Amino acid sequence: METFDKDNRYSNILGWLAFLVTSVALYMVFEYAPTERVMGHIQRLFYFHVAAAWIAFFAFFVVFVGSIIYLKKRSTFWDNIALASAEIGVAFTTIVLITGPIWARPIWNAWWTWDPRLTTTLILWFIYIAYIILRASADESEKKARFAAIFGIVGFVDVPIVFMSIRWWRTIHPQVIEGGGMNLAPTMVQTLLVSIAAFTFIYFYLLLRRVKVEVLKNQVKEMKEELRKLQYN
Amino acid sequence: MTFFKQIKALVWKDLKSEFRTKEMLSSMLIFAFLVIVIFSFAFDPTDETLKEVFPGIIWVAFIFAGILGLNRSFVAEKQNNSIHGLMLCPADRSAIYFGKVITNLVLMLIMEAISLPIFIILFDYSFSGSILKLILVILLGTFGFVAIGTFLAALTANTRTSEVLLPIILFPVIVPLVIGAVESTGAIFIGEEMSEILPWLKVLGIYDLIFITVPFMLFDFVLEV
Amino acid sequence: MKNLDYLFAGYLIIWIIIFSYTMFVGKKQKNLEEEVEFIKRTLDKLN
């Protein structure tokens, strides 16, 4: 197993870094940041909720970039990046979609509000779930990568239009609950930034690990091919 | 042959074979009709709330019926491998895309032109808006739906679960289009001012423009062998 | 103070999702590494 140890060293370092920064972020969320006056303790959910949303969006941007580069260069590397990033993005979007209602329930007395940001996140979740399903239902790996890349571009181009249209839609239908509008103290902003940093480290850690899995899959495939040739000779 | 002549030839081929059997058109029409009838059981057709959801209902019917046509447009070419014949044509690949878009657009518009009056009669809906504006909205909405739908149908035609996959990947992408189409149709139905409708027309216009350009740029990648 | 339940539930879910995804990837990687080792040994034997 020695061959893998070297490859795994970087992801291990990144993993420990992620752990460290996350610990600091958690300390700041629960101890350093002041309790919000109106919402109380539940507002502490805000930091990781927003950080998850940022990282999810960043992950989908990486899918978009990876898809474009893949279609230009046809390198498996960029396809792996796009796939890994889409999966991690869906995981973080799921976090946003679950923590959103948990935060909304005690504050607004409703689990779900058709707030533009929350609704856009839901549509994003659907788009990238579709991306993963599309990938799974193509037969050959080249087709998988090509179709996924095409959809990765289309899906990301759609995001700003989705957000715009949902925002206009909500302004026409009177909103019972007004979202957003929070005055952030400087310590709160610092806590948010550290939380985002923590999730960024976790993102890159997971990205590295997930890409590694794809590399191993290809390696297994090639070796099996070699084995098959040997057996026939 | 010029680009437009090529597209014309492709559209003509598709429409000719469709009008010979009227397979797709009749299925789409009956399906749209069925969706409306199902909705009338789901909501009380004599109720006031129906007036508010009516624009939504007709777009749901159009989109569901449209999916049927989109699914067939490339899967039908896979039978007998006619897609390879198309790809061997001395024509730009995007001509195939535009040809399919126009064919699907024609089929959907025929379906909508027949079913919309029936829907209005069935629900006894008192229509008080301008018909010209309504036609404009239906044209813009249908065009956007067909533009991205045809493109994604070409993608899914090459996968194992094409018929199931298309709605899953198409519906999240057309959210802005549905919002724009439903809102503007609703505003026209109750005879709102043009200034109320214009923002939604803009959404539809921007959507159409983007989702005819992006597929045009990417279509070569879909039809690689 | 009942809001603390919600706060706790929120953070619990965040870490459940991240940990289960990490576990999922880790397990996949381990299985694949074992497979690579296995095929390598078989190849060595055959050569």
Side-chain angles (χ1 to χ4, degrees):
Chain A
M1 288 294 222
E2 314 83 45
T3 41
F4 299 114
D5 290 345
K6 214 181 98 208
D7 296 341
N8 289 344
R9 197 190 294 151
Y10 296 110
S11 67
N12 281 341
I13 293 172
L14 207 53
W16 282 110
L17 262 171
F19 181 74
L20 210 76
V21 181
T22 308
S23 310
V24 174
L26 280 173
Y27 170 78
M28 286 177 84
V29 165
F30 289 105
E31 290 294 327
Y32 181 70
T35 312
E36 221 259 352
R37 245 170 295 144
V38 189
M39 294 188 230
H41 283 299
I42 189 70
Q43 185 267 347
R44 294 182 195 277
L45 208 47
F46 157 85
Y47 305 105
F48 275 53
H49 171 80
V50 172
W54 279 35
I55 295 303
F57 198 79
F58 174 69
F60 296 144
F61 178 67
V62 172
V63 176
F64 177 62
V65 174
S67 300
I68 292 176
I69 301 180
Y70 173 77
L71 284 183
K72 281 217 155 145
K73 289 192 176 164
R74 303 298 163 114
S75 67
T76 328
F77 172 75
W78 283 102
D79 176 52
N80 290 344
I81 295 273
L83 163 68
S85 203
E87 270 189 29
I88 301 165
V90 167
F92 278 104
T93 315
T94 312
I95 290 177
V96 179
L97 287 176
I98 295 177
T99 50
I102 290 177
W103 181 17
R105 176 69 200 175
I107 298 297
W108 298 324
N109 217 16
W111 287 109
W112 185 267
T113 63
W114 291 92
D115 157 86
R117 272 167 298 185
L118 207 52
T119 313
T120 307
T121 314
L122 179 65
I123 302 302
L124 263 182
W125 189 80
F126 277 124
I127 290 177
Y128 288 91
I129 289 279
Y131 174 94
I132 293 170
I133 296 176
L134 173 67
R135 241 195 130 84
S137 58
D139 291 319
E140 308 134 49
S141 58
E142 185 272 337
K143 249 186 199 169
K144 264 183 215 242
R146 181 154 51 89
F147 288 176
I150 293 168
F151 190 69
I153 295 171
V154 171
F156 194 78
V157 168
D158 197 39
V159 174
I161 320 173
V162 171
F163 181 71
M164 237 173 53
S165 61
I166 294 178
R167 203 169 57 184
W168 281 349
W169 174 58
R170 287 324 297 173
T171 47
I172 282 190
H173 298 260
Q175 217 166 336
V176 192
I177 298 148
E178 275 301 324
M182 209 184 336
N183 279 326
L184 289 182
T187 48
M188 287 177 166
V189 176
Q190 288 156 15
T191 311
L192 176 63
L193 289 177
V194 176
S195 304
I196 291 173
F199 269 3
T200 310
F201 276 109
I202 293 178
Y203 167 79
F204 280 109
Y205 169 68
L206 289 173
L207 189 76
L208 217 62
R209 301 271 316 254
R210 186 63 186 81
V211 168
K212 174 82 189 167
V213 166
E214 285 306 304
V215 171
L216 281 171
K217 264 189 199 163
N218 279 333
Q219 200 180 341
V220 166
K221 217 161 93 188
E222 277 164 24
M223 287 170 93
K224 274 185 179 164
E225 204 53 47
E226 212 177 314
L227 201 62
R228 203 164 296 142
K229 272 184 208 149
L230 270 177
Q231 276 170 337
Y232 280 123
N233 287 337
Chain B
M1 273 207 284
T2 62
F3 191 60
F4 289 102
K5 269 193 177 158
Q6 290 166 348
I7 294 176
K8 207 175 127 192
L10 286 166
V11 172
W12 195 237
K13 156 195 95 70
D14 280 345
L15 286 181
K16 226 165 155 183
S17 69
E18 170 56 32
F19 285 125
R20 215 169 271 157
T21 58
K22 297 177 198 66
E23 240 177 359
M24 259 350 285
L25 206 53
S26 51
S27 319
M28 279 161 77
L29 256 174
I30 293 294
F31 191 76
F33 209 174
L34 272 173
V35 171
I36 288 290
V37 173
I38 296 284
F39 266 124
S40 70
F41 294 129
F43 304 104
D44 182 1
T46 53
D47 201 53
E48 262 310 295
T49 48
L50 189 92
K51 297 255 181 298
E52 282 173 35
V53 291
F54 189 66
I57 292 179
I58 57 173
W59 276 104
V60 169
F62 288 166
I63 285 169
F64 280 13
I67 282 269
L68 292 186
L70 292 177
N71 254 333
R72 289 299 298 166
S73 61
F74 282 93
V75 173
E77 300 282 6
K78 294 284 278 186
Q79 290 167 356
N80 307 324
N81 265 333
S82 17
I83 190 80
H84 288 283
L86 275 185
M87 282 157 69
L88 285 173
C89 283
D92 201 71
R93 290 276 158 81
S94 56
I96 302 175
Y97 168 70
F98 285 122
K100 286 288 181 193
V101 167
I102 293 171
T103 312
N104 287 330
L105 189 66
V106 170
L107 292 184
M108 264 194 87
L109 287 176
I110 294 174
M111 177 269 291
E112 288 167 348
I114 300 173
S115 51
L116 188 61
I118 301 178
F119 295 169
I120 291 176
I121 292 168
L122 268 183
F123 283 97
D124 202 18
Y125 196 85
S126 52
F127 180 77
S128 56
S130 126
I131 294 194
L132 265 175
K133 282 182 203 159
L134 183 65
I135 290 175
L136 178 68
V137 166
I138 288 184
L139 269 176
L140 283 176
T142 312
F143 180 74
F145 173 73
V146 165
I148 184 67
T150 307
F151 179 67
L152 292 182
L155 259 192
T156 55
N158 288 299
T159 59
R160 262 177 284 123
T161 50
S162 58
E163 264 93 353
V164 192
L165 194 58
L166 181 61
I168 292 180
I169 70 170
L170 179 58
F171 285 170
V173 180
I174 58 167
V175 165
L177 185 94
V178 174
I179 295 177
V182 171
E183 292 293 335
S184 50
T185 310
I188 289 168
F189 272 176
I190 53 171
E192 288 264 25
E193 288 296 306
M194 196 59 193
S195 58
E196 290 289 311
I197 308 165
L198 208 61
W200 298 116
L201 286 182
K202 268 189 210 153
V203 171
L204 289 177
I206 292 169
Y207 190 93
D208 288 3
L209 206 65
I210 290 176
F211 283 106
I212 196 75
T213 318
V214 173
F216 172 63
M217 279 159 47
L218 293 178
F219 196 71
D220 276 354
F221 295 114
V222 177
L223 282 193
E224 270 173 18
V225 203
Chain C
M1 271 294 139
K2 73 175 170 72
N3 287 355
L4 280 179
D5 302 348
Y6 287 100
L7 184 63
F8 177 72
Y11 274 94
L12 190 68
I13 283 166
I14 291 175
W15 297 117
I16 286 178
I17 290 173
I18 291 177
F19 271 116
S20 37
Y21 187 70
T22 318
M23 287 292 154
F24 165 75
V25 173
K27 205 170 159 84
K28 251 186 174 174
Q29 185 178 356
K30 213 179 141 230
N31 287 344
L32 282 164
E33 278 173 356
E34 277 167 13
E35 205 174 342
V36 167
E37 284 297 316
F38 176 74
I39 301 176
K40 230 180 217 163
R41 257 178 280 137
T42 325
L43 275 174
D44 287 343
K45 250 184 248 164
L46 280 173
N47 278 331

